[in-house]
């Protein structure tokens, strides 16, 4: 285009001028050094002609006055010589100065090239561009927010007993099944305590059997005990009536009530319960259960299927009860928690479709839906917590996925979420990259017969990828999406993509 040619000529002129002035400064410096040498050499050297510097071709004759030198530079001649070149370039480019922008017609379109006012020959200057076809399709409106990926469940597994670690069977990233032993403590003392508790339980069971064959223990369900229990209940009813009538003090009422509760507990107990208490079976069973729990705590198991994470425990380490051993991550389903502005949360509803792109995998999108919307607004940030449930990203449960670590979402990843808020159907759309703004008006470049055509357009709704065109172009037009920032009307273009090079038709 004319602007491109003009910029090239101006750049060339400035470069030539810079080189001429640089050479002049270097020669002047050499001349000053020569004069200094002549002063040091004395009167005999003043009349000597400097050799190798071409002084008379650079400056006018110098006037020596009292050891001082006046030198008139020929820089003025350089400026004078460069002026004709500037005037010549201006005269050459002025007629084509406004040829880069087409004249407007009444409908906002560019004037055709038949009149000859908006089309000029660009010679062999060809601009490489890429294009897209304007199509009618649905425009999906979205709300774009950022959030953090989390797993379905994440728990920190803690040590439940004190002891030395003797074995660690899993490492970070390993998959563990529910109930599988991950860490094992030294259990020798705990095993001894369990054996003692088991022996005590056996002795109590023998004593219990002995009492079962003896008549020393009464039967709690005998008729005599039932009569005593009925008498105790009658006394309690009489006591409550006397207390309501004010014939009994509160202290005496509480004493008689405690006596009644003791009688009920004594007369209602079963014979087997009395035998268990007298034989020590109940206490022995409790001691055994506690010793068994302590021994089982020496073997730390996975509470559910998941991946081992943040495991820092090593064999030989001394751990105390309550200290963290590792984290278990259930990645069977992933979620993304995002903060949506309160002004936009009304556009989102549970079940709305969403698209998630993690920063770690910019070329891969994960689909999901809005699973939950927090009914409370954060008073400081003025945002609402929204949970996105992802689909199709959970790994296998019986074995680690083959692509683990390559294209798999991990808990804690930062992601960008686009939540669908509405669909505008049957709209003329072009990529947003095709839009340009010049003279405070929006335009696109189309390709016709290998030439770029400047077209003003009216833009409607937009999303992150596409823009609706209300007027200016039609369906099927080829709009330029890259390489169009320096284009002019009727500039010759070459359409292609990486690895492709063809002329637009």
């Amino acid at each position: 285009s004319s602007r491109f040619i003009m910029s090239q000529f101006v750049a060339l002129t400035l470069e030539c001028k810079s080189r001429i002035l640089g050479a002049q400064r270097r020669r002047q410096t050499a001349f000053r050094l020569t004069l200094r040498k002549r002063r040091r050499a004395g009167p005999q050297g003043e009349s000597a002609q400097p050799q190798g510097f071409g002084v008379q071709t650079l400056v006018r004759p110098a006037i020596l006055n009292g050891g001082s030198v006046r030198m008139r530079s020929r820089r003025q001649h350089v400026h004078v010589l460069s002026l004709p070149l500037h005037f010549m370039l201006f005269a050459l480019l002025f007629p084509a100065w406004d040829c880069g922008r087409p004249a407007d017609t009444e409908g906002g379109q560019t004037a055709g090239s038949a009149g000859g006012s908006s089309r000029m020959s660009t010679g062999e200057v060809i601009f490489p561009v890429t294009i897209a076809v304007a199509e009618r399709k649905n425009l999906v409106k979205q709300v774009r927010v950022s959030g953090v990926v989390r797993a379905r469940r994440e728990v920190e597994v803690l040590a439940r007993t004190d002891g030395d670690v003797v074995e660690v069977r899993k490492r970070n990233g390993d998959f563990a099944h529910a109930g599988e032993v991950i860490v094992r403590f030294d259990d020798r003392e705990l095993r001894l305590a369990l054996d003692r508790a088991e022996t005590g339980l056996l002795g109590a069971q023998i004593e219990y059997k002995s009492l079962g064959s003896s008549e020393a223990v009464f039967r709690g369900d005998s008729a005599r005990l039932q009569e005593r229990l009925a008498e105790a209940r009658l006394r309690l009813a009489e006591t409550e009536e006397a207390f309501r009538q004010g014939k009994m003090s509160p202290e005496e009422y509480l004493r008689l009530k405690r006596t009644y509760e003791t009688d009920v507990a004594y007369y209602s107990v079963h014979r087997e319960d009395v035998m268990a208490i007298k034989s020590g079976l109940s206490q022995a069973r409790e001691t055994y259960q506690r010793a068994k729990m302590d021994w089982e705590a020496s073997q730390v198991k996975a509470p559910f299927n998941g991946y081992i994470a943040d495991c820092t425990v090593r064999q030989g380490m001394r751990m105390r009860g309550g200290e963290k051993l590792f984290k278990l991550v259930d990645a069977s389903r992933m979620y993304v928690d995002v903060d949506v502005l309160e002004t936009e949360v009304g556009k989102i509803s549970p079940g709305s479709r969403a698209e998630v792109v993690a920063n770690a995998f910019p070329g891969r999108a994960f689909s999901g839906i809005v699973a939950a919307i927090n009914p409370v607004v954060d008073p400081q940030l003025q945002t609402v917590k929204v949970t996105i449930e992802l689909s199709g990203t959970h790994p296998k449960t019986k074995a680690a996925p083959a692509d683990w670590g390559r294209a798999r979402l991990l808990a804690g990843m930062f992601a960008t979420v686009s939540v669908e808020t509405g669909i505008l159907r049957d709209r003329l759309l072009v990529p947003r990259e095709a839009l340009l703004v010049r003279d405070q008006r929006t335009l696109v470049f189309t390709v016709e017969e290998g030439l770029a055509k400047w077209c003003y357009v009216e833009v409607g709704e937009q999303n992150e990828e596409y823009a609706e065109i209300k007027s200016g172009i039609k369906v099927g037009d080829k709009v330029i999406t890259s390489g169009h920032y320096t284009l002019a009307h009727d500039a010759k273009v070459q359409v292609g993509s990486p690895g492709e090079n063809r002329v637009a038709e």
Side-chain angles (χ1 to χ4, degrees), residues 80-133:
V80 173
L81 291 176
S82 62
L83 288 177
L85 178 59
H86 292 170
F87 280 113
M88 182 174 60
L89 288 175
F90 182 80
L92 176 63
L93 299 177
F94 179 77
W97 180 269
D98 197 44
C99 291
R101 182 168 62 92
D104 296 341
T105 62
E106 295 180 358
Q109 297 290 331
T110 60
S113 59
S117 60
S118 63
R119 181 173 178 179
M120 63 169 289
S121 176
T122 58
E124 297 299 326
V125 179
I126 302 176
F127 297 90
V129 297
T130 59
I131 63 171
V133 179

Side-chain angles (χ1 to χ4, degrees), residues 150 163 186 369 405:
R150 65 173 176 86
D186 185 1
I369 61 172

Side-chain angles (χ1 to χ4, degrees), residues 121-368:
S121 176
T122 58
E124 297 299 326
V125 179
I126 302 176
F127 297 90
V129 297
T130 59
I131 63 171
V133 179
E135 299 177 319
R136 299 197 71 89
K137 54 184 180 180
N138 298 336
L139 178 65
V140 180
K141 296 287 292 182
Q142 296 174 331
V143 171
R144 176 164 291 190
V145 288
S146 300
V148 179
V149 180
R150 65 173 176 86
R152 178 185 178 187
R153 287 182 291 180
E154 293 185 18
V155 297
E156 291 185 351
V157 180
L158 309 179
R160 294 188 296 162
T161 184
D162 299 345
D164 298 327
V165 178
V166 296
E167 185 180 8
V168 180
R169 299 182 178 180
K170 296 289 184 178
R171 297 179 297 179
N172 287 331
D174 291 344
F175 186 81
H177 298 278
E180 186 177 357
V181 177
I182 309 301
V183 179
R184 191 168 66 84
F185 286 87
D186 185 1
D187 62 347
R188 289 175 294 180
E189 294 183 2
L190 298 175
R191 186 65 189 179
L192 292 175
L194 179 61
D195 292 340
R196 287 194 300 268
E198 189 175 0
T199 302
L201 177 61
L202 179 61
Q205 290 174 342
I206 294 174
E207 183 66 19
Y208 178 83
K209 289 292 184 181
S210 300
L211 292 176
S213 60
S214 174
E215 296 295 334
V217 181
F218 59 86
R219 293 184 177 275
D221 57 350
S222 63
R224 183 179 179 182
L225 293 179
Q226 292 298 326
E227 291 177 0
R228 292 181 180 179
L229 182 60
E231 292 175 359
R233 291 173 179 169
L234 181 60
R235 286 195 301 270
L236 177 64
E238 294 174 353
T239 300
E240 290 179 346
E241 183 65 24
F243 179 72
R244 283 194 298 267
Q245 295 177 1
K247 299 178 181 180
M248 184 180 298
S249 62
E251 292 79 7
E252 186 178 0
Y253 169 74
L254 293 176
R255 180 178 60 80
L256 293 176
K257 188 175 181 180
R258 285 195 300 269
T259 302
Y260 164 76
E261 293 174 350
T262 303
D263 291 341
V264 171
Y266 181 75
Y267 296 138
S268 301
V269 70
H270 292 280
R271 181 173 182 269
E272 290 77 9
D273 295 336
V274 176
M275 291 169 54
I277 294 174
K278 294 191 66 175
S279 64
L281 180 62
S282 299
Q283 184 178 1
R285 182 179 288 110
E286 179 184 355
T287 303
Y288 172 77
Q289 292 293 339
R290 188 175 297 277
K292 185 178 179 181
M293 290 175 57
D294 292 341
W295 175 76
E296 290 177 349
S298 64
Q299 297 182 355
V300 183
K301 301 179 181 180
F304 50 81
N305 292 345
Y307 291 89
I308 304 298
D310 298 341
C311 182
T312 58
V313 64
R314 298 291 184 270
Q315 182 178 356
M317 295 178 62
R318 178 72 178 179
M319 306 298 295
R320 295 184 177 275
E323 291 185 347
K324 176 183 174 181
L325 298 177
F326 58 89
K327 181 185 290 186
L328 191 65
V329 180
D330 179 9
S332 60
R333 191 163 296 277
M334 305 297 287
Y335 298 86
V336 182
D337 294 326
V338 297
D339 294 324
V340 181
L341 293 175
E342 62 176 344
T343 56
E344 296 182 339
V345 72
K347 306 175 184 177
I348 302 174
S349 60
S352 298
R353 291 186 297 179
E355 186 178 83
V356 179
V357 178
N359 289 0
F361 312 113
R364 178 173 178 177
F366 299 85
S367 60

